[in-house]
PDB file of all heavy atoms in Angstrom:
ATOM      1  N   VAL A  80      91.521  73.679 129.669  1.00  0.00           N
ATOM      2  CA  VAL A  80      91.686  75.016 130.265  1.00  0.00           C
ATOM      3  C   VAL A  80      92.787  75.717 129.451  1.00  0.00           C
ATOM      4  O   VAL A  80      93.928  75.175 129.254  1.00  0.00           O
ATOM      5  CB  VAL A  80      92.002  74.932 131.741  1.00  0.00           C
ATOM      6  CG1 VAL A  80      92.334  76.312 132.348  1.00  0.00           C
ATOM      7  CG2 VAL A  80      90.815  74.345 132.545  1.00  0.00           C
ATOM      8  N   ILE A  81      92.505  76.958 129.164  1.00  0.00           N
ATOM      9  CA  ILE A  81      93.555  77.831 128.376  1.00  0.00           C
ATOM     10  C   ILE A  81      94.404  78.483 129.435  1.00  0.00           C
ATOM     11  O   ILE A  81      93.983  79.244 130.259  1.00  0.00           O
ATOM     12  CB  ILE A  81      92.817  78.842 127.504  1.00  0.00           C
ATOM     13  CG1 ILE A  81      91.968  78.170 126.391  1.00  0.00           C
ATOM     14  CG2 ILE A  81      93.887  79.818 126.898  1.00  0.00           C
ATOM     15  CD1 ILE A  81      91.226  79.108 125.468  1.00  0.00           C
ATOM     16  N   LEU A  82      95.707  78.081 129.441  1.00  0.00           N
ATOM     17  CA  LEU A  82      96.661  78.579 130.385  1.00  0.00           C
ATOM     18  C   LEU A  82      97.426  79.765 129.935  1.00  0.00           C
ATOM     19  O   LEU A  82      97.927  80.513 130.786  1.00  0.00           O
ATOM     20  CB  LEU A  82      97.725  77.433 130.727  1.00  0.00           C
ATOM     21  CG  LEU A  82      97.257  76.133 131.332  1.00  0.00           C
ATOM     22  CD1 LEU A  82      98.389  75.200 131.687  1.00  0.00           C
ATOM     23  CD2 LEU A  82      96.502  76.375 132.610  1.00  0.00           C
ATOM     24  N   GLY A  83      97.741  79.890 128.619  1.00  0.00           N
ATOM     25  CA  GLY A  83      98.430  81.022 128.158  1.00  0.00           C
ATOM     26  C   GLY A  83      98.317  81.212 126.676  1.00  0.00           C
ATOM     27  O   GLY A  83      98.054  80.268 125.996  1.00  0.00           O
ATOM     28  N   VAL A  84      98.385  82.492 126.207  1.00  0.00           N
ATOM     29  CA  VAL A  84      98.199  82.792 124.919  1.00  0.00           C
ATOM     30  C   VAL A  84      99.375  83.637 124.356  1.00  0.00           C
ATOM     31  O   VAL A  84      99.878  84.528 125.148  1.00  0.00           O
ATOM     32  CB  VAL A  84      96.945  83.671 124.685  1.00  0.00           C
ATOM     33  CG1 VAL A  84      96.580  83.987 123.220  1.00  0.00           C
ATOM     34  CG2 VAL A  84      95.678  82.964 125.286  1.00  0.00           C
ATOM     35  N   GLY A  85      99.929  83.390 123.209  1.00  0.00           N
ATOM     36  CA  GLY A  85     101.021  84.042 122.599  1.00  0.00           C
ATOM     37  C   GLY A  85     100.794  84.489 121.211  1.00  0.00           C
ATOM     38  O   GLY A  85      99.901  83.924 120.540  1.00  0.00           O
ATOM     39  N   ALA A  86     101.576  85.501 120.730  1.00  0.00           N
ATOM     40  CA  ALA A  86     101.437  85.938 119.370  1.00  0.00           C
ATOM     41  C   ALA A  86     102.773  86.290 118.729  1.00  0.00           C
ATOM     42  O   ALA A  86     103.749  86.578 119.480  1.00  0.00           O
ATOM     43  CB  ALA A  86     100.555  87.160 119.422  1.00  0.00           C
ATOM     44  N   TYR A  87     102.867  86.294 117.508  1.00  0.00           N
ATOM     45  CA  TYR A  87     103.995  86.811 116.746  1.00  0.00           C
ATOM     46  C   TYR A  87     103.534  87.383 115.485  1.00  0.00           C
ATOM     47  O   TYR A  87     102.851  86.803 114.656  1.00  0.00           O
ATOM     48  CB  TYR A  87     105.060  85.654 116.524  1.00  0.00           C
ATOM     49  CG  TYR A  87     106.233  86.251 115.651  1.00  0.00           C
ATOM     50  CD1 TYR A  87     107.281  86.921 116.331  1.00  0.00           C
ATOM     51  CD2 TYR A  87     106.192  86.019 114.358  1.00  0.00           C
ATOM     52  CE1 TYR A  87     108.214  87.469 115.554  1.00  0.00           C
ATOM     53  CE2 TYR A  87     107.271  86.493 113.540  1.00  0.00           C
ATOM     54  CZ  TYR A  87     108.280  87.258 114.175  1.00  0.00           C
ATOM     55  OH  TYR A  87     109.338  87.801 113.477  1.00  0.00           O
ATOM     56  N   LEU A  88     104.115  88.593 115.190  1.00  0.00           N
ATOM     57  CA  LEU A  88     103.863  89.238 113.906  1.00  0.00           C
ATOM     58  C   LEU A  88     105.148  89.574 113.367  1.00  0.00           C
ATOM     59  O   LEU A  88     106.016  90.212 113.975  1.00  0.00           O
ATOM     60  CB  LEU A  88     102.955  90.495 114.163  1.00  0.00           C
ATOM     61  CG  LEU A  88     101.622  90.366 114.497  1.00  0.00           C
ATOM     62  CD1 LEU A  88     100.945  91.672 115.061  1.00  0.00           C
ATOM     63  CD2 LEU A  88     100.788  89.898 113.366  1.00  0.00           C
ATOM     64  N   PRO A  89     105.334  89.417 112.056  1.00  0.00           N
ATOM     65  CA  PRO A  89     106.647  89.712 111.383  1.00  0.00           C
ATOM     66  C   PRO A  89     106.771  91.242 111.379  1.00  0.00           C
ATOM     67  O   PRO A  89     105.784  91.962 111.476  1.00  0.00           O
ATOM     68  CB  PRO A  89     106.403  89.319 109.923  1.00  0.00           C
ATOM     69  CG  PRO A  89     105.293  88.339 109.995  1.00  0.00           C
ATOM     70  CD  PRO A  89     104.402  88.738 111.092  1.00  0.00           C
ATOM     71  N   ALA A  90     108.040  91.693 111.246  1.00  0.00           N
ATOM     72  CA  ALA A  90     108.328  93.217 111.484  1.00  0.00           C
ATOM     73  C   ALA A  90     107.805  94.105 110.387  1.00  0.00           C
ATOM     74  O   ALA A  90     107.292  95.098 110.561  1.00  0.00           O
ATOM     75  CB  ALA A  90     109.841  93.359 111.601  1.00  0.00           C
ATOM     76  N   ARG A  91     107.855  93.482 109.161  1.00  0.00           N
ATOM     77  CA  ARG A  91     107.565  94.328 107.975  1.00  0.00           C
ATOM     78  C   ARG A  91     106.077  94.753 107.865  1.00  0.00           C
ATOM     79  O   ARG A  91     105.171  93.833 107.843  1.00  0.00           O
ATOM     80  CB  ARG A  91     107.991  93.570 106.688  1.00  0.00           C
ATOM     81  CG  ARG A  91     107.333  94.030 105.448  1.00  0.00           C
ATOM     82  CD  ARG A  91     108.295  95.061 104.654  1.00  0.00           C
ATOM     83  NE  ARG A  91     107.816  95.225 103.349  1.00  0.00           N
ATOM     84  CZ  ARG A  91     107.039  96.267 102.937  1.00  0.00           C
ATOM     85  NH1 ARG A  91     106.673  97.214 103.809  1.00  0.00           N
ATOM     86  NH2 ARG A  91     106.738  96.322 101.683  1.00  0.00           N
ATOM     87  N   VAL A  92     105.824  96.022 107.835  1.00  0.00           N
ATOM     88  CA  VAL A  92     104.448  96.473 107.707  1.00  0.00           C
ATOM     89  C   VAL A  92     104.198  96.861 106.269  1.00  0.00           C
ATOM     90  O   VAL A  92     104.941  97.524 105.671  1.00  0.00           O
ATOM     91  CB  VAL A  92     104.189  97.816 108.593  1.00  0.00           C
ATOM     92  CG1 VAL A  92     102.834  98.385 108.326  1.00  0.00           C
ATOM     93  CG2 VAL A  92     104.398  97.428 110.126  1.00  0.00           C
ATOM     94  N   LEU A  93     103.104  96.472 105.643  1.00  0.00           N
ATOM     95  CA  LEU A  93     102.730  96.745 104.311  1.00  0.00           C
ATOM     96  C   LEU A  93     101.411  97.575 104.398  1.00  0.00           C
ATOM     97  O   LEU A  93     100.411  97.077 104.917  1.00  0.00           O
ATOM     98  CB  LEU A  93     102.537  95.477 103.503  1.00  0.00           C
ATOM     99  CG  LEU A  93     102.036  95.624 101.992  1.00  0.00           C
ATOM    100  CD1 LEU A  93     103.162  96.378 101.195  1.00  0.00           C
ATOM    101  CD2 LEU A  93     101.741  94.334 101.355  1.00  0.00           C
ATOM    102  N   THR A  94     101.554  98.803 103.939  1.00  0.00           N
ATOM    103  CA  THR A  94     100.395  99.639 104.060  1.00  0.00           C
ATOM    104  C   THR A  94      99.463  99.671 102.809  1.00  0.00           C
ATOM    105  O   THR A  94      99.937  99.201 101.749  1.00  0.00           O
ATOM    106  CB  THR A  94     100.810 101.208 104.164  1.00  0.00           C
ATOM    107  OG1 THR A  94     101.558 101.516 103.017  1.00  0.00           O
ATOM    108  CG2 THR A  94     101.747 101.322 105.374  1.00  0.00           C
ATOM    109  N   ASN A  95      98.272 100.214 102.913  1.00  0.00           N
ATOM    110  CA  ASN A  95      97.357 100.274 101.750  1.00  0.00           C
ATOM    111  C   ASN A  95      97.953 101.228 100.654  1.00  0.00           C
ATOM    112  O   ASN A  95      97.856 100.884  99.488  1.00  0.00           O
ATOM    113  CB  ASN A  95      96.052 100.839 102.222  1.00  0.00           C
ATOM    114  CG  ASN A  95      95.191  99.965 103.165  1.00  0.00           C
ATOM    115  OD1 ASN A  95      95.618  98.796 103.249  1.00  0.00           O
ATOM    116  ND2 ASN A  95      94.255 100.441 103.771  1.00  0.00           N
ATOM    117  N   THR A  96      98.658 102.235 101.130  1.00  0.00           N
ATOM    118  CA  THR A  96      99.213 103.155 100.099  1.00  0.00           C
ATOM    119  C   THR A  96     100.274 102.509  99.265  1.00  0.00           C
ATOM    120  O   THR A  96     100.309 102.627  98.030  1.00  0.00           O
ATOM    121  CB  THR A  96      99.737 104.395 100.889  1.00  0.00           C
ATOM    122  OG1 THR A  96      98.686 104.926 101.700  1.00  0.00           O
ATOM    123  CG2 THR A  96     100.295 105.445  99.856  1.00  0.00           C
ATOM    124  N   GLU A  97     101.132 101.601  99.919  1.00  0.00           N
ATOM    125  CA  GLU A  97     102.077 100.807  99.115  1.00  0.00           C
ATOM    126  C   GLU A  97     101.398  99.959  98.129  1.00  0.00           C
ATOM    127  O   GLU A  97     101.881  99.864  96.910  1.00  0.00           O
ATOM    128  CB  GLU A  97     102.960 100.020 100.097  1.00  0.00           C
ATOM    129  CG  GLU A  97     104.049 100.684 100.807  1.00  0.00           C
ATOM    130  CD  GLU A  97     104.761  99.804 101.752  1.00  0.00           C
ATOM    131  OE1 GLU A  97     105.706  99.092 101.474  1.00  0.00           O
ATOM    132  OE2 GLU A  97     104.270  99.822 103.027  1.00  0.00           O
ATOM    133  N   LEU A  98     100.272  99.339  98.570  1.00  0.00           N
ATOM    134  CA  LEU A  98      99.462  98.475  97.666  1.00  0.00           C
ATOM    135  C   LEU A  98      98.979  99.211  96.480  1.00  0.00           C
ATOM    136  O   LEU A  98      98.943  98.598  95.383  1.00  0.00           O
ATOM    137  CB  LEU A  98      98.445  97.659  98.431  1.00  0.00           C
ATOM    138  CG  LEU A  98      98.933  96.407  99.249  1.00  0.00           C
ATOM    139  CD1 LEU A  98      97.835  95.958 100.276  1.00  0.00           C
ATOM    140  CD2 LEU A  98      99.255  95.293  98.259  1.00  0.00           C
ATOM    141  N   SER A  99      98.494 100.360  96.740  1.00  0.00           N
ATOM    142  CA  SER A  99      97.869 101.200  95.695  1.00  0.00           C
ATOM    143  C   SER A  99      98.916 101.564  94.597  1.00  0.00           C
ATOM    144  O   SER A  99      98.554 101.995  93.471  1.00  0.00           O
ATOM    145  CB  SER A  99      97.284 102.401  96.242  1.00  0.00           C
ATOM    146  OG  SER A  99      98.167 103.309  96.775  1.00  0.00           O
ATOM    147  N   GLN A 100     100.154 101.405  94.895  1.00  0.00           N
ATOM    148  CA  GLN A 100     101.219 101.731  93.933  1.00  0.00           C
ATOM    149  C   GLN A 100     101.336 100.457  92.982  1.00  0.00           C
ATOM    150  O   GLN A 100     102.134 100.471  92.020  1.00  0.00           O
ATOM    151  CB  GLN A 100     102.558 102.130  94.611  1.00  0.00           C
ATOM    152  CG  GLN A 100     102.492 103.465  95.152  1.00  0.00           C
ATOM    153  CD  GLN A 100     103.305 103.704  96.308  1.00  0.00           C
ATOM    154  OE1 GLN A 100     104.116 102.933  96.743  1.00  0.00           O
ATOM    155  NE2 GLN A 100     103.128 104.854  97.012  1.00  0.00           N
ATOM    156  N   ARG A 101     100.871  99.341  93.456  1.00  0.00           N
ATOM    157  CA  ARG A 101     101.042  98.099  92.703  1.00  0.00           C
ATOM    158  C   ARG A 101      99.859  97.706  91.990  1.00  0.00           C
ATOM    159  O   ARG A 101      99.929  97.223  90.863  1.00  0.00           O
ATOM    160  CB  ARG A 101     101.387  96.994  93.827  1.00  0.00           C
ATOM    161  CG  ARG A 101     102.096  95.857  93.129  1.00  0.00           C
ATOM    162  CD  ARG A 101     102.296  94.695  94.016  1.00  0.00           C
ATOM    163  NE  ARG A 101     102.376  93.604  93.007  1.00  0.00           N
ATOM    164  CZ  ARG A 101     103.475  93.003  92.691  1.00  0.00           C
ATOM    165  NH1 ARG A 101     104.708  93.384  93.302  1.00  0.00           N
ATOM    166  NH2 ARG A 101     103.631  92.077  91.804  1.00  0.00           N
ATOM    167  N   VAL A 102      98.639  97.771  92.524  1.00  0.00           N
ATOM    168  CA  VAL A 102      97.393  97.374  91.807  1.00  0.00           C
ATOM    169  C   VAL A 102      96.437  98.568  91.890  1.00  0.00           C
ATOM    170  O   VAL A 102      96.678  99.540  92.683  1.00  0.00           O
ATOM    171  CB  VAL A 102      96.724  96.205  92.505  1.00  0.00           C
ATOM    172  CG1 VAL A 102      97.449  94.960  92.138  1.00  0.00           C
ATOM    173  CG2 VAL A 102      96.595  96.379  94.021  1.00  0.00           C
ATOM    174  N   ASP A 103      95.409  98.497  91.088  1.00  0.00           N
ATOM    175  CA  ASP A 103      94.428  99.615  90.916  1.00  0.00           C
ATOM    176  C   ASP A 103      93.485  99.571  92.208  1.00  0.00           C
ATOM    177  O   ASP A 103      92.400  99.021  92.144  1.00  0.00           O
ATOM    178  CB  ASP A 103      93.727  99.403  89.649  1.00  0.00           C
ATOM    179  CG  ASP A 103      92.662 100.554  89.415  1.00  0.00           C
ATOM    180  OD1 ASP A 103      92.859 101.623  90.093  1.00  0.00           O
ATOM    181  OD2 ASP A 103      91.773 100.422  88.520  1.00  0.00           O
ATOM    182  N   THR A 104      94.012 100.179  93.255  1.00  0.00           N
ATOM    183  CA  THR A 104      93.145 100.293  94.469  1.00  0.00           C
ATOM    184  C   THR A 104      93.538 101.552  95.158  1.00  0.00           C
ATOM    185  O   THR A 104      94.361 102.342  94.749  1.00  0.00           O
ATOM    186  CB  THR A 104      93.399  99.013  95.405  1.00  0.00           C
ATOM    187  OG1 THR A 104      92.450  99.076  96.454  1.00  0.00           O
ATOM    188  CG2 THR A 104      94.839  99.003  95.987  1.00  0.00           C
ATOM    189  N   SER A 105      92.919 101.842  96.377  1.00  0.00           N
ATOM    190  CA  SER A 105      93.206 102.942  97.099  1.00  0.00           C
ATOM    191  C   SER A 105      93.057 102.799  98.562  1.00  0.00           C
ATOM    192  O   SER A 105      92.309 101.825  99.011  1.00  0.00           O
ATOM    193  CB  SER A 105      92.299 104.185  96.738  1.00  0.00           C
ATOM    194  OG  SER A 105      90.982 103.807  97.051  1.00  0.00           O
ATOM    195  N   ASP A 106      93.837 103.564  99.403  1.00  0.00           N
ATOM    196  CA  ASP A 106      93.718 103.501 100.881  1.00  0.00           C
ATOM    197  C   ASP A 106      92.209 103.597 101.273  1.00  0.00           C
ATOM    198  O   ASP A 106      91.638 102.818 102.054  1.00  0.00           O
ATOM    199  CB  ASP A 106      94.551 104.537 101.485  1.00  0.00           C
ATOM    200  CG  ASP A 106      94.552 104.401 102.926  1.00  0.00           C
ATOM    201  OD1 ASP A 106      94.622 103.403 103.509  1.00  0.00           O
ATOM    202  OD2 ASP A 106      94.452 105.604 103.657  1.00  0.00           O
ATOM    203  N   ALA A 107      91.530 104.576 100.621  1.00  0.00           N
ATOM    204  CA  ALA A 107      90.163 104.814 100.969  1.00  0.00           C
ATOM    205  C   ALA A 107      89.257 103.609 100.659  1.00  0.00           C
ATOM    206  O   ALA A 107      88.397 103.220 101.468  1.00  0.00           O
ATOM    207  CB  ALA A 107      89.680 106.045 100.263  1.00  0.00           C
ATOM    208  N   TRP A 108      89.438 102.996  99.467  1.00  0.00           N
ATOM    209  CA  TRP A 108      88.513 101.849  99.096  1.00  0.00           C
ATOM    210  C   TRP A 108      88.762 100.652 100.079  1.00  0.00           C
ATOM    211  O   TRP A 108      87.859 100.095 100.652  1.00  0.00           O
ATOM    212  CB  TRP A 108      88.896 101.311  97.711  1.00  0.00           C
ATOM    213  CG  TRP A 108      87.844 100.262  97.165  1.00  0.00           C
ATOM    214  CD1 TRP A 108      86.773 100.539  96.395  1.00  0.00           C
ATOM    215  CD2 TRP A 108      87.840  98.861  97.472  1.00  0.00           C
ATOM    216  NE1 TRP A 108      86.049  99.463  96.217  1.00  0.00           N
ATOM    217  CE2 TRP A 108      86.714  98.351  96.862  1.00  0.00           C
ATOM    218  CE3 TRP A 108      88.672  97.976  98.179  1.00  0.00           C
ATOM    219  CZ2 TRP A 108      86.344  96.995  96.882  1.00  0.00           C
ATOM    220  CZ3 TRP A 108      88.321  96.709  98.280  1.00  0.00           C
ATOM    221  CH2 TRP A 108      87.246  96.093  97.635  1.00  0.00           C
TER     222      TRP A 108
END
Side-chain angles (χ1 to χ4, degrees):
V80 176
I81 297 176
L82 296 183
V84 184
Y87 176 79
L88 289 163
R91 161 92 166 99
V92 174
L93 178 64
T94 63
N95 292 347
T96 306
E97 281 175 87
L98 279 165
S99 69
Q100 285 149 13
R101 205 192 150 102
V102 287
D103 183 16
T104 189
S105 64
D106 183 41
W108 190 95

